Amino acid sequence: MIRALVISALLATPAAAGTVAEQAIATFNAVCFKAGQTADQARSRMEARDGTPLPYTLTFWDRSLAPAPQAPSRIERRCEVSFAGDHTEAAIAALRTQMARPPVFGFRIDLPETHAPQTGTALIEGRELLRGRVAVVHVGLREGETFIGVDRLPDGWEDS
């Protein structure tokens, strides 16, 4: 009996711990704010938390580490998850909590010209980061799915 409980505990994954929305939001906050990771590394970290295949859609690239031909020219890095249903309030609450934790995720600034609210946007903010970089966090509803994302703009983005 004890052995069965230990095996069950070892086999349990975070994916079994909550809804897809809860998983996506928690994993976004745990993985998407980490710099210096490739798309494969980000996907592997997410799969380690939530299982394979991911129960949500991941969009990730970092042009400072690998080519991203479909990337907008003035955005250096993007990490976004999307999942079914309207969970924008939960995503915003979790995102705000994450950004307030040390190290605090930048200071709010005017939205850079590279970004604008879309139909369905519930939150979009520009954030000043270290070394001249800027981030934009974005939460909204698109075609019946919640999306939560963060884009990083490089130092000198205004000049590119």
Side-chain angles (χ1 to χ4, degrees), residues 122-137:
L123 168 78
I124 188 167
E125 287 183 5
R127 309 290 285 192
E128 183 178 2
L129 303 176
L130 298 174
R131 296 185 303 252
R133 289 190 164 112
V134 168
V136 175
V137 293

Side-chain angles (χ1 to χ4, degrees), residues 3-160:
R3 183 176 180 193
L5 289 174
V6 170
I7 291 171
S8 293
L10 291 173
L11 294 176
T13 64
T19 67
V20 169
E22 291 166 338
Q23 294 167 40
I25 293 167
T27 299
F28 173 87
N29 282 335
V31 175
C32 284
F33 291 104
K34 294 185 185 324
Q37 60 185 341
T38 65
D40 288 341
Q41 290 168 325
R43 180 170 294 283
S44 291
R45 288 182 175 117
M46 290 184 168
E47 288 173 346
R49 290 178 56 93
D50 296 332
T52 306
L54 290 174
Y56 44 82
T57 302
L58 168 65
T59 302
F60 185 96
W61 40 262
D62 186 331
R63 292 180 344 151
S64 69
L65 299 175
Q70 301 301 319
S73 64
R74 296 192 308 177
I75 299 173
E76 180 176 63
R77 179 178 184 272
R78 173 169 291 161
C79 187
E80 179 185 288
V81 296
S82 59
F83 43 93
D86 183 353
H87 304 279
T88 55
E89 287 182 26
I92 291 168
L95 180 64
R96 289 214 183 278
T97 298
Q98 179 67 29
M99 290 190 307
R101 288 188 181 133
V104 176
F105 188 72
F107 299 96
R108 190 173 180 178
I109 60 171
D110 290 339
L111 195 59
E113 65 187 37
T114 55
H115 290 74
Q118 310 167 2
T119 301
T121 291
L123 168 78
I124 188 167
E125 287 183 5
R127 309 290 285 192
E128 183 178 2
L129 303 176
L130 298 174
R131 296 185 303 252
R133 289 190 164 112
V134 168
V136 175
V137 293
H138 197 175
V139 177
L141 192 63
R142 179 189 317 125
E143 298 177 10
E145 291 192 331
T146 297
F147 67 89
I148 179 172
V150 60
D151 287 348
R152 185 180 72 205
L153 286 65
D155 183 26
W157 64 269
E158 305 97 329
D159 303 325
S160 52

